[in-house]
């Protein structure tokens, strides 16, 4: 009996108990999404860049381990390193969770390690860019690991027919908390003088408070979720995890069309994640926009992402998911091109760019997941989606690396942002070449009328 089978057959949950766990599960998204929004997307990029610049030499370079690095490349390089670390750790955490059934301790360790690192960003001041890079690497990798464990609960706490709704509610909880805390951050940042704080103090408090929020609301899922017993095997928890990952990748070779879609998703999603993490740096460093503008722009993205997902869902019903995703990739390319030509010091145009990002962000990711679900062979949903999760969160390191290298070589954030077009262009070509109807049939699934 596999761990997944044991989880699903370890007693029958009554409706009330299942709903209680679901409500607890939603709150982890409510807890950790504040890090993604307030820390990674808004505050940390510009602030860490300013700290690195304070430590830079006359030519604008810092020298970690004796390596010359442009101060403006420190943040994207740290994001890239954190994702490489996540790739190494996620299979180990997933294997340990599946083999032992003890997901809560793993969720607690990864969540509180990330929350502690985020709270520690309060001490990021002066020229402590190495401290900032280290805390970012720990927090970002911890978030990725915690999401593997978090997502592994979904099959346990929801019946197949309600899984889409449960997943969507968790997503909505995350966007709600992100918007709520951003409003509070905006009040603190814009009124920092009236609170007797400097601008730097307000940023550091916003960073640290995201860690406290993450840690505080993680208590809810830890209280309400429960571990299931699994049948123990003679194999350890770590080794089989790597073996299972290798076995799944080998099995995917029997479904080359599914693998082709996953490759296309890996490429264009890397571009999406890089735009999300680097947009604030571009707005502050290249366009000279203040933090208030950046915060309100991200709030706009948060609101419009929900509307965009719903709107693109309707388009998919009329034109199919593949065509709608291809349209969104074309839109992403136009957005980057527009971003390259944005005039400095013009908040209105940056808001227009943020609106465009919001309208395609939620839909392109939501439709990608739903399209992939049609390409998964029946009975292999968990293992295939574990690879999808690694693609989604753990392999998003190449985009930040390209962004950082482009700035390193050119000294221009405009060149760095336009370099990301390659991810959307290549992703478009790779996805366009996937015959999705044939891929669905090859996976042994019924082919929808439109897909």
């Amino acid at each position: 009996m596999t761990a997944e089978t044991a989880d699903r057959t370890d007693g029958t949950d009554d409706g009330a108990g299942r709903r209680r766990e679901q409500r607890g599960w939603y709150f982890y998204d409510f807890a950790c999404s504040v890090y993604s929004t307030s820390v990674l997307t808004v505050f940390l990029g510009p602030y860490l860049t300013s700290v690195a610049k304070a430590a830079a030499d006359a030519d604008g370079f810092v020298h970690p381990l004796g390596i010359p690095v442009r101060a403006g490349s420190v943040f994207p390089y740290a994001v890239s390193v954190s994702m490489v670390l996540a790739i190494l750790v996620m299979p180990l955490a997933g294997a340990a969770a599946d083999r032992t059934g003890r997901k809560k301790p793993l969720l607690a360790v990864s969540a509180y390690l990330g929350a502690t690192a985020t709270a520690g960003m309060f001490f990021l001041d002066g020229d402590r860019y190495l401290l900032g890079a280290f805390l970012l690497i720990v927090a970002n990798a911890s978030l990725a690991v915690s999401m593997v464990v978090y997502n592994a609960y979904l099959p346990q706490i929801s019946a197949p027919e309600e899984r889409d709704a449960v997943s969507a509610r968790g997503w909505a909880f995350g966007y709600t908390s992100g918007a709520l805390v951003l409003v509070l951050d905006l009040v603190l940042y814009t009124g920092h003088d009236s609170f007797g704080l400097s601008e730097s103090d307000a940023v550091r408090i916003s960073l640290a408070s995201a860690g406290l929020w993450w840690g505080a609301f993680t208590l809810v899922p830890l209280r309400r979720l429960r571990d299931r017993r699994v049948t123990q095997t003679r194999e350890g928890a770590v080794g089989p995890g790597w073996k299972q990952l290798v076995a799944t990748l080998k099995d995917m070779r029997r479904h080359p069309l599914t693998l082709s879609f996953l490759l296309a998703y890996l490429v264009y999603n890397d571009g999406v994640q890089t735009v999300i993490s680097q947009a604030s740096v571009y707005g502050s460093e290249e366009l000279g926009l203040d933090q208030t503008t950046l915060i309100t722009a991200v709030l706009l993205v948060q609101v419009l992402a929900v509307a965009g997902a719903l709107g693109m869902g309707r388009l998919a019903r009329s034109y199919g998911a593949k065509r709608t995703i291809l349209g969104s990739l074309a839109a992403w390319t136009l957005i980057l091109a527009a971003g390259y030509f944005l005039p400095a010091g013009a908040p209105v145009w940056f808001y227009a760019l943020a609106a465009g990002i919001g309208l395609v962000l939620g839909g392109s990711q939501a439709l990608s997941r739903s399209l992939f679900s049609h390409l998964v062979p029946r009975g292999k949903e968990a293992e295939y989606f574990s690879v999808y999760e690694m693609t989604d969160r753990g392999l998003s390191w190449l985009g930040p690396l390209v962004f950082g290298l482009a700035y390193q070589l050119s000294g221009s954030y405009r060149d760095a942002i336009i370099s990301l077009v390659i991810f959307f262009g290549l992703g478009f070509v790779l996805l366009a070449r996937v015959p999705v109807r044939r891929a669905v049939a090859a996976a042994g699934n019924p082919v929808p009328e439109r897909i």
Side-chain angles (χ1 to χ4, degrees):
M1 178 184 293
T2 66
E4 181 183 1
T5 304
D7 283 341
R8 291 179 177 179
T9 58
D10 185 25
T12 302
D13 295 333
D14 58 46
R18 190 170 68 248
R19 285 191 295 274
R20 173 181 168 83
E21 284 197 274
Q22 289 171 3
R23 287 191 291 270
W25 187 79
Y26 301 149
F27 267 93
Y28 188 67
D29 224 326
F30 192 82
C32 69
S33 291
V34 172
Y35 168 82
S36 300
T37 304
S38 292
V39 176
L40 194 61
T41 304
V42 177
F43 285 109
L44 187 56
Y47 187 68
L48 180 56
T49 300
S50 69
V51 172
K53 286 184 174 181
D57 59 22
D59 296 321
F61 285 83
V62 292
H63 300 270
L65 303 178
I67 302 171
V69 175
R70 281 191 185 270
S73 294
V74 169
F75 176 68
Y77 283 167
V79 173
S80 184
V81 170
S82 72
M83 291 296 95
V84 173
L85 178 61
I87 292 171
L88 298 176
V89 178
M90 280 196 296
L92 306 181
D98 286 341
R99 297 288 172 173
T100 66
R102 292 179 57 80
K103 293 180 175 65
K104 280 210 295 187
L106 289 168
L107 179 63
V109 168
S110 55
Y112 282 108
L113 183 60
T116 301
T118 306
M121 292 175 186
F122 178 80
F123 302 102
L124 175 59
D125 60 358
D127 59 358
R128 299 177 179 176
Y129 76 96
L130 285 177
L131 173 64
F134 173 75
L135 293 175
L136 168 58
I137 291 168
V138 172
N140 224 31
S142 297
L143 175 66
V145 172
S146 72
M147 290 304 295
V148 170
V149 182
Y150 167 71
N151 287 332
Y153 272 104
L154 184 58
Q156 298 179 347
I157 64 172
S158 58
E161 65 273 9
E162 63 181 356
R163 204 160 293 158
D164 288 342
V166 171
S167 178
R169 289 189 198 108
W171 182 76
F173 264 59
Y175 271 99
T176 300
S177 71
L180 174 61
V181 174
L182 269 183
V183 170
L184 299 176
D185 290 339
L186 182 61
V187 171
L188 177 66
Y189 183 82
T190 56
H192 61 82
D193 286 334
S194 61
F195 292 110
L197 301 171
S198 67
E199 184 177 319
S200 174
D201 291 337
V203 171
R204 292 187 297 113
I205 290 172
S206 296
L207 292 171
S209 63
L212 297 177
W213 180 286
W214 185 357
F217 283 101
T218 295
L219 292 173
V220 179
L222 291 180
R223 284 181 60 86
R224 295 198 171 188
L225 293 172
R226 64 184 182 86
D227 287 330
R228 273 75 169 169
R229 296 190 305 273
V230 298
T231 301
Q232 297 295 325
T233 66
R234 287 180 297 174
E235 297 178 294
V238 170
W242 287 103
K243 291 178 182 178
Q244 181 62 60
L245 177 62
V246 172
T248 301
L249 293 174
K250 287 182 178 179
D251 186 72
M252 281 185 166
R253 294 172 61 185
R254 297 174 49 241
H255 302 278
L257 298 181
T258 300
L259 198 58
S260 295
F261 170 81
L262 198 61
L263 175 61
Y265 175 74
L266 184 155
V267 172
Y268 69 74
N269 182 65
D270 206 349
V272 171
Q273 297 300 323
T274 306
V275 172
I276 293 171
S277 65
Q278 306 302 323
S280 290
V281 175
Y282 182 71
S284 64
E285 296 298 317
E286 186 66 38
L287 303 181
L289 301 175
D290 58 37
Q291 199 73 47
T292 301
T293 300
L294 298 178
I295 296 171
T296 50
V298 173
L299 272 173
L300 183 62
V301 170
Q302 295 285 106
V303 173
L304 290 181
V306 177
L310 296 175
M312 287 180 63
R314 292 182 179 180
L315 287 175
R317 287 197 292 271
S318 299
Y319 300 102
K322 177 184 174 180
R323 289 182 179 178
T324 307
I325 296 170
L326 287 173
S328 76
L329 298 182
W332 274 109
T333 302
L334 292 175
I335 287 169
L336 288 179
Y340 179 84
F341 292 106
L342 278 187
V348 173
W349 289 109
F350 191 72
Y351 287 139
L353 191 73
I357 291 174
L359 289 173
V360 297
L361 174 60
S364 58
Q365 292 181 315
L367 289 179
S368 296
R369 181 169 61 180
S370 63
L371 179 55
F372 182 70
S373 69
H374 291 286
L375 310 181
V376 177
R378 188 166 299 177
K380 296 181 179 292
E381 293 85 358
E383 56 185 279
Y384 272 56
F385 266 103
S386 70
V387 177
Y388 183 88
E389 178 66 24
M390 287 187 65
T391 302
D392 186 25
R393 291 185 178 271
L395 299 184
S396 298
W397 58 271
L398 185 58
L401 179 61
V402 168
F403 186 92
L405 285 172
Y407 181 77
Q408 172 95 358
L409 296 174
S410 68
S412 168
Y413 281 106
R414 292 187 187 272
D415 291 342
I417 201 73
I418 202 66
S419 70
L420 301 179
V421 166
I422 188 173
F423 291 95
F424 296 105
L426 182 58
F428 184 99
V429 172
L430 291 173
L431 178 59
R433 291 171 59 87
V434 178
V436 291
R437 300 184 70 83
R438 191 146 53 91
V440 174
N445 296 321
V447 181
E449 183 179 350
R450 284 190 176 87
I451 186 168

Coordinates of all heavy atoms in Angstrom, one line a residue, residues 93-146:
A93 N 11.8 16.6 1.4 CA 10.6 16.9 2.2 C 9.4 16.1 1.8 O 8.7 15.6 2.6 CB 10.4 18.4 2.2
G94 N 9.2 16.1 0.5 CA 8.0 15.3 -0.1 C 8.1 13.9 0.2 O 7.1 13.2 0.6
A95 N 9.3 13.3 0.1 CA 9.4 11.9 0.4 C 9.2 11.6 1.9 O 8.5 10.6 2.2 CB 10.8 11.4 0.0
A96 N 9.8 12.4 2.7 CA 9.6 12.2 4.2 C 8.1 12.3 4.6 O 7.6 11.6 5.4 CB 10.4 13.2 5.0
A97 N 7.4 13.3 4.0 CA 6.0 13.5 4.3 C 5.2 12.3 3.8 O 4.3 11.8 4.6 CB 5.5 14.7 3.6
D98 N 5.5 11.7 2.6 CA 4.7 10.6 2.1 C 5.0 9.3 2.8 O 4.1 8.5 3.1 CB 5.0 10.4 0.6 CG 4.3 11.5 -0.2 OD1 3.4 12.1 0.2 OD2 4.7 11.7 -1.4
R99 N 6.3 9.1 3.2 CA 6.7 7.8 3.8 C 6.3 7.7 5.2 O 6.0 6.7 5.7 CB 8.2 7.6 3.6 CG 8.6 7.5 2.1 CD 8.2 6.2 1.5 NE 8.4 6.2 0.1 CZ 8.3 5.2 -0.7 NH1 7.9 4.0 -0.2 NH2 8.5 5.3 -2.0
T100 N 6.4 8.8 5.9 CA 6.1 8.8 7.4 C 4.7 9.2 7.7 O 4.2 8.8 8.8 CB 7.1 9.7 8.1 OG1 6.8 11.1 7.8 CG2 8.5 9.4 7.8
G101 N 4.0 9.9 6.9 CA 2.7 10.4 7.2 C 2.7 11.6 8.1 O 1.6 12.2 8.4
R102 N 3.9 12.0 8.6 CA 4.0 13.1 9.5 C 4.2 14.5 8.8 O 5.3 15.0 8.7 CB 5.1 12.8 10.5 CG 4.7 11.7 11.5 CD 5.8 11.4 12.5 NE 6.2 12.5 13.3 CZ 5.5 12.9 14.3 NH1 4.4 12.3 14.7 NH2 5.9 14.0 15.0
K103 N 3.2 15.0 8.2 CA 3.3 16.2 7.4 C 3.3 17.4 8.3 O 4.0 18.4 8.0 CB 2.1 16.3 6.4 CG 2.1 15.3 5.3 CD 0.9 15.5 4.4 CE 1.0 14.5 3.2 NZ 0.8 13.1 3.7
K104 N 2.6 17.4 9.4 CA 2.6 18.6 10.3 C 3.9 19.1 10.8 O 4.2 20.2 10.8 CB 1.6 18.4 11.4 CG 0.1 18.6 11.0 CD -0.8 19.2 12.1 CE -0.9 18.2 13.2 NZ -1.9 18.6 14.2
P105 N 4.7 18.1 11.3 CA 6.1 18.6 11.7 C 6.9 19.2 10.6 O 7.6 20.2 10.8 CB 6.7 17.3 12.3 CG 5.6 16.4 12.6 CD 4.5 16.7 11.6
L106 N 6.8 18.7 9.4 CA 7.5 19.2 8.3 C 7.0 20.6 7.9 O 7.7 21.5 7.5 CB 7.5 18.2 7.1 CG 8.3 17.0 7.3 CD1 7.9 16.0 6.2 CD2 9.8 17.3 7.2
L107 N 5.7 20.7 7.9 CA 5.0 22.0 7.6 C 5.5 23.0 8.7 O 5.8 24.2 8.3 CB 3.5 21.9 7.6 CG 2.7 23.2 7.3 CD1 3.1 23.7 5.9 CD2 1.2 22.9 7.4
A108 N 5.5 22.6 9.9 CA 5.9 23.5 11.0 C 7.3 24.0 10.9 O 7.6 25.2 11.0 CB 5.6 22.9 12.4
V109 N 8.2 23.1 10.6 CA 9.6 23.4 10.5 C 9.9 24.4 9.3 O 10.6 25.4 9.5 CB 10.5 22.1 10.4 CG1 11.9 22.5 10.0 CG2 10.5 21.3 11.7
S110 N 9.4 24.0 8.2 CA 9.6 24.8 7.0 C 8.9 26.2 7.1 O 9.5 27.3 6.8 CB 9.1 24.1 5.7 OG 7.8 23.8 5.8
A111 N 7.7 26.2 7.7 CA 7.0 27.5 7.8 C 7.7 28.4 8.8 O 7.9 29.6 8.5 CB 5.5 27.3 8.2
Y112 N 8.1 27.9 10.0 CA 8.7 28.7 11.0 C 10.1 29.1 10.7 O 10.6 30.1 11.1 CB 8.5 28.1 12.4 CG 7.1 28.3 12.9 CD1 6.2 27.2 12.9 CD2 6.6 29.6 13.2 CE1 4.9 27.4 13.4 CE2 5.3 29.8 13.7 CZ 4.5 28.7 13.7 OH 3.2 28.9 14.1
L113 N 10.8 28.3 9.9 CA 12.1 28.7 9.5 C 12.0 29.9 8.5 O 12.7 30.8 8.6 CB 12.8 27.5 8.7 CG 14.2 27.7 8.3 CD1 15.2 28.1 9.4 CD2 14.7 26.5 7.5
G114 N 11.0 29.8 7.6 CA 10.8 30.9 6.7 C 10.3 32.1 7.4 O 10.8 33.3 7.1
A115 N 9.4 32.0 8.3 CA 8.8 33.1 9.1 C 9.9 33.8 9.9 O 10.0 35.0 10.0 CB 7.7 32.6 9.9
T116 N 10.8 33.0 10.5 CA 11.9 33.5 11.4 C 12.8 34.3 10.5 O 13.3 35.4 10.9 CB 12.6 32.4 12.1 OG1 11.7 31.7 13.0 CG2 13.7 33.0 13.0
A117 N 13.2 33.8 9.4 CA 14.1 34.5 8.5 C 13.5 35.8 8.0 O 14.2 36.8 7.9 CB 14.5 33.6 7.3
T118 N 12.2 35.8 7.7 CA 11.5 37.0 7.3 C 11.5 38.0 8.4 O 11.7 39.2 8.2 CB 10.1 36.7 6.8 OG1 10.2 35.7 5.8 CG2 9.4 37.9 6.2
A119 N 11.1 37.6 9.6 CA 11.1 38.5 10.8 C 12.5 39.1 11.0 O 12.7 40.2 11.4 CB 10.6 37.8 12.0
G120 N 13.6 38.3 10.7 CA 14.9 38.7 10.9 C 15.3 39.9 10.0 O 16.4 40.5 10.2
M121 N 14.5 40.1 9.0 CA 14.8 41.2 8.0 C 14.7 42.6 8.7 O 15.1 43.6 8.1 CB 13.9 41.1 6.8 CG 14.3 39.9 5.9 SD 13.1 39.7 4.5 CE 13.7 38.1 3.9
F122 N 14.2 42.6 9.9 CA 14.1 43.9 10.6 C 15.5 44.4 10.8 O 15.7 45.6 10.9 CB 13.4 43.7 11.9 CG 13.4 44.9 12.8 CD1 12.4 45.9 12.6 CD2 14.3 45.1 13.8 CE1 12.4 47.0 13.3 CE2 14.2 46.2 14.6 CZ 13.3 47.2 14.4
F123 N 16.5 43.5 10.9 CA 17.9 43.9 11.2 C 18.7 44.2 9.9 O 19.9 44.4 10.0 CB 18.6 42.8 12.0 CG 17.9 42.5 13.3 CD1 17.1 41.4 13.4 CD2 18.0 43.3 14.4 CE1 16.4 41.1 14.6 CE2 17.4 43.1 15.6 CZ 16.6 41.9 15.7
L124 N 18.0 44.2 8.8 CA 18.7 44.5 7.5 C 18.8 46.0 7.4 O 17.8 46.7 6.9 CB 17.9 43.9 6.4 CG 18.4 44.1 5.0 CD1 19.8 43.7 4.8 CD2 17.4 43.5 4.0
D125 N 19.9 46.6 7.7 CA 20.1 48.0 7.5 C 21.6 48.3 7.2 O 22.4 47.4 7.1 CB 19.6 48.8 8.7 CG 20.4 48.4 10.0 OD1 21.2 47.5 9.9 OD2 20.1 49.0 11.1
G126 N 21.9 49.5 7.0 CA 23.3 49.9 6.8 C 23.8 49.3 5.4 O 23.1 49.5 4.4
D127 N 24.9 48.5 5.5 CA 25.4 47.9 4.3 C 25.4 46.3 4.5 O 26.2 45.6 3.9 CB 26.8 48.3 4.1 CG 27.8 48.0 5.3 OD1 27.3 47.5 6.3 OD2 29.0 48.4 5.2
R128 N 24.4 45.8 5.3 CA 24.4 44.4 5.5 C 23.7 43.6 4.4 O 22.7 42.8 4.6 CB 23.6 44.1 6.8 CG 24.3 44.7 8.1 CD 23.4 44.5 9.3 NE 24.0 45.1 10.5 CZ 23.4 45.1 11.7 NH1 22.2 44.5 11.8 NH2 23.9 45.6 12.7
Y129 N 24.2 43.7 3.2 CA 23.5 43.1 2.1 C 23.7 41.6 2.1 O 22.8 40.8 1.6 CB 24.1 43.6 0.7 CG 25.4 43.1 0.4 CD1 25.6 42.1 -0.5 CD2 26.6 43.7 0.9 CE1 26.8 41.6 -0.8 CE2 27.8 43.3 0.5 CZ 28.0 42.2 -0.3 OH 29.2 41.7 -0.6
L130 N 24.8 41.1 2.7 CA 25.0 39.6 2.8 C 23.9 39.0 3.7 O 23.4 37.9 3.5 CB 26.4 39.3 3.2 CG 27.5 39.5 2.2 CD1 28.9 39.2 2.8 CD2 27.2 38.5 1.0
L131 N 23.6 39.7 4.8 CA 22.6 39.3 5.7 C 21.2 39.2 5.0 O 20.5 38.2 5.1 CB 22.5 40.2 6.9 CG 21.3 39.9 7.9 CD1 21.4 38.5 8.5 CD2 21.2 41.0 8.9
G132 N 20.9 40.3 4.2 CA 19.7 40.3 3.5 C 19.6 39.2 2.5 O 18.6 38.5 2.3
A133 N 20.7 38.9 1.7 CA 20.7 37.9 0.7 C 20.5 36.5 1.4 O 19.7 35.6 0.9 CB 22.0 37.9 -0.1
F134 N 21.2 36.3 2.5 CA 21.1 35.0 3.3 C 19.6 34.8 3.8 O 19.1 33.7 3.6 CB 22.0 35.0 4.5 CG 21.9 33.8 5.4 CD1 22.3 32.5 5.0 CD2 21.2 33.9 6.6 CE1 22.1 31.4 5.8 CE2 21.1 32.9 7.4 CZ 21.5 31.6 7.0
L135 N 19.0 35.8 4.4 CA 17.7 35.7 4.9 C 16.7 35.4 3.7 O 15.7 34.7 3.9 CB 17.3 36.9 5.7 CG 18.0 37.2 7.0 CD1 17.6 38.5 7.6 CD2 17.8 36.0 8.0
L136 N 16.9 36.1 2.6 CA 16.0 35.9 1.4 C 16.1 34.4 1.0 O 15.1 33.8 0.7 CB 16.4 36.9 0.3 CG 15.8 36.6 -1.1 CD1 14.3 36.6 -1.0 CD2 16.4 37.6 -2.1
I137 N 17.3 33.9 0.9 CA 17.5 32.5 0.4 C 16.8 31.6 1.3 O 16.1 30.6 0.9 CB 19.0 32.2 0.3 CG1 19.7 33.0 -0.9 CG2 19.3 30.7 0.1 CD1 21.2 33.0 -0.9
V138 N 17.0 31.7 2.6 CA 16.4 30.8 3.6 C 14.8 30.9 3.5 O 14.1 29.9 3.5 CB 16.9 31.1 5.0 CG1 16.1 30.3 6.1 CG2 18.3 30.8 5.1
A139 N 14.3 32.2 3.5 CA 12.9 32.3 3.5 C 12.2 31.8 2.2 O 11.2 31.1 2.3 CB 12.5 33.8 3.7
N140 N 12.8 32.1 1.1 CA 12.3 31.7 -0.2 C 12.3 30.2 -0.3 O 11.3 29.6 -0.8 CB 13.0 32.4 -1.3 CG 12.1 33.0 -2.4 OD1 11.0 33.4 -2.1 ND2 12.6 33.0 -3.6
A141 N 13.4 29.6 0.0 CA 13.5 28.1 -0.1 C 12.5 27.5 0.9 O 11.9 26.4 0.6 CB 14.9 27.7 0.2
S142 N 12.4 28.0 2.1 CA 11.5 27.5 3.1 C 10.0 27.5 2.6 O 9.2 26.6 2.8 CB 11.6 28.2 4.4 OG 12.9 28.0 5.0
L143 N 9.7 28.6 2.0 CA 8.3 28.8 1.5 C 8.0 27.7 0.4 O 7.0 27.0 0.5 CB 8.1 30.1 0.8 CG 6.8 30.4 0.1 CD1 5.6 30.3 1.1 CD2 6.7 31.7 -0.6
A144 N 9.0 27.5 -0.5 CA 8.8 26.4 -1.5 C 8.6 25.1 -0.9 O 7.7 24.3 -1.3 CB 10.0 26.5 -2.5
V145 N 9.4 24.7 0.1 CA 9.3 23.4 0.7 C 8.0 23.3 1.5 O 7.3 22.3 1.4 CB 10.5 23.2 1.7 CG1 10.3 22.0 2.5 CG2 11.8 23.1 0.9
S146 N 7.6 24.4 2.2 CA 6.3 24.3 2.9 C 5.1 24.1 2.0 O 4.1 23.4 2.3 CB 6.1 25.5 3.8 OG 5.8 26.7 3.0

